[in-house]
Amino acid sequence: MQPADSLATAQNALLEDQPIEKTLSIWDLITSGGIGGQLIMITLALLLFFALYLYFERLMAINAASKIDTNFMNNIKMNITNGKIDAAKMLCAQTNSPVARLTEKGISRIGKPLEDINTAIENAGKLEIYKLEKNVSMLATISGAGPMIGFLGTVIGMILAFHKMASGGGQIEVGALAEGIYTAMTTTVAGLVVGIIAFMGYNHLVVKTDKVVHQMEANATDFLDLLNEPS
């Protein structure tokens, strides 16, 4: 045998003896935790989908509620000043926004004491705020439930790992603990991800809602000031 052939044979043998690195995909990481881990991961996936649906649905609704023509109140003021109450009501009916509905409620009470008009607007405002905040509290619930469910998976995984250790006595191998460890680690990470996304979405919607509420209050004040102006 030639020296070159001997060297090549030795190199091939050395390469064959080296361990092959196995790449762990996200899917393998999710499904490697056994039936317990998979059930936890499915639950967290459903919570994540529900949280994203709630966030985008409420975001679109709040964005639509915040859009209003900058000249809306000027047109209302002009119509009321000119005694065109029906025209002002028509303008409110054609404008699909909380501000327009509050203004329409106030216009329908024109002629009554100012305190009664203010009360009617406040009551209508509470209904509009309720509509804006519909289901937003569910995001807060998911932001707290997600990590808790993830930690439940952690406890289940550690129970499985210790059960393996207890069953195997002193002969337990690290590989036998993999299922429990996978369950413990992956569910914790998934639960925290769901909780963080839901928490950030909830706080963003709260800020957006507060801006719409402030817009409603400002326009209601302008309307009441308009009625309080001397003729």
Side-chain angles (χ1 to χ4, degrees), residues 79-91 107-108 110:
N79 287 326
I80 293 178
T81 302
N82 295 329
K84 300 178 180 179
I85 304 300
D86 291 337
K89 287 183 179 180
M90 183 64 66
L91 179 60
I107 293 174
S108 65
I110 289 179

Side-chain angles (χ1 to χ4, degrees), residues 45-145:
L46 292 175
L47 284 178
L48 178 60
F49 173 80
F50 188 50
L52 291 175
Y53 170 78
L54 285 177
Y55 171 74
F56 286 109
E57 188 273 333
R58 284 293 85 200
L59 182 63
M60 290 186 291
I62 293 172
N63 285 338
S66 64
K67 294 179 180 179
I68 187 170
D69 187 1
T70 55
N71 294 321
F72 174 77
M73 288 306 299
N74 292 331
N75 294 331
I76 292 294
K77 180 177 181 180
M78 182 180 62
N79 287 326
I80 293 178
T81 302
N82 295 329
K84 300 178 180 179
I85 304 300
D86 291 337
K89 287 183 179 180
M90 183 64 66
L91 179 60
C92 292
Q94 293 174 349
T95 306
N96 184 22
S97 71
V99 170
R101 286 189 285 272
L102 262 63
T103 305
E104 183 178 13
K105 182 65 68 174
I107 293 174
S108 65
R109 296 294 191 276
I110 289 179
K112 295 184 178 181
L114 195 61
E115 183 178 350
D116 292 345
I117 298 176
N118 186 29
T119 301
I121 293 177
E122 287 182 355
N123 292 335
K126 292 177 182 178
L127 294 176
E128 293 297 333
I129 293 173
Y130 174 78
K131 292 178 183 178
L132 291 175
E133 295 178 344
K134 181 182 178 182
N135 294 329
V136 173
S137 60
M138 290 296 298
L139 280 176
T141 302
I142 293 174
S143 70

Side-chain angles (χ1 to χ4, degrees), residues 168-183:
Q171 306 298 325
I172 190 67
E173 296 181 358
V174 176
L177 304 177
E179 182 175 314
I181 295 173
Y182 273 131
T183 301

Side-chain angles (χ1 to χ4, degrees), residues 2-43:
Q2 298 294 328
D5 295 336
S6 299
L7 181 59
T9 302
Q11 290 177 344
N12 291 333
L14 182 61
L15 291 174
E16 291 177 357
D17 291 338
Q18 290 180 351
I20 300 175
E21 294 184 0
K22 182 180 178 181
T23 302
L24 184 63
S25 66
I26 298 296
W27 179 252
D28 291 335
L29 190 64
I30 293 174
T31 59
S32 298
I35 185 65
Q38 291 173 12
L39 288 176
I40 296 293
M41 296 298 287
I42 290 173
T43 302

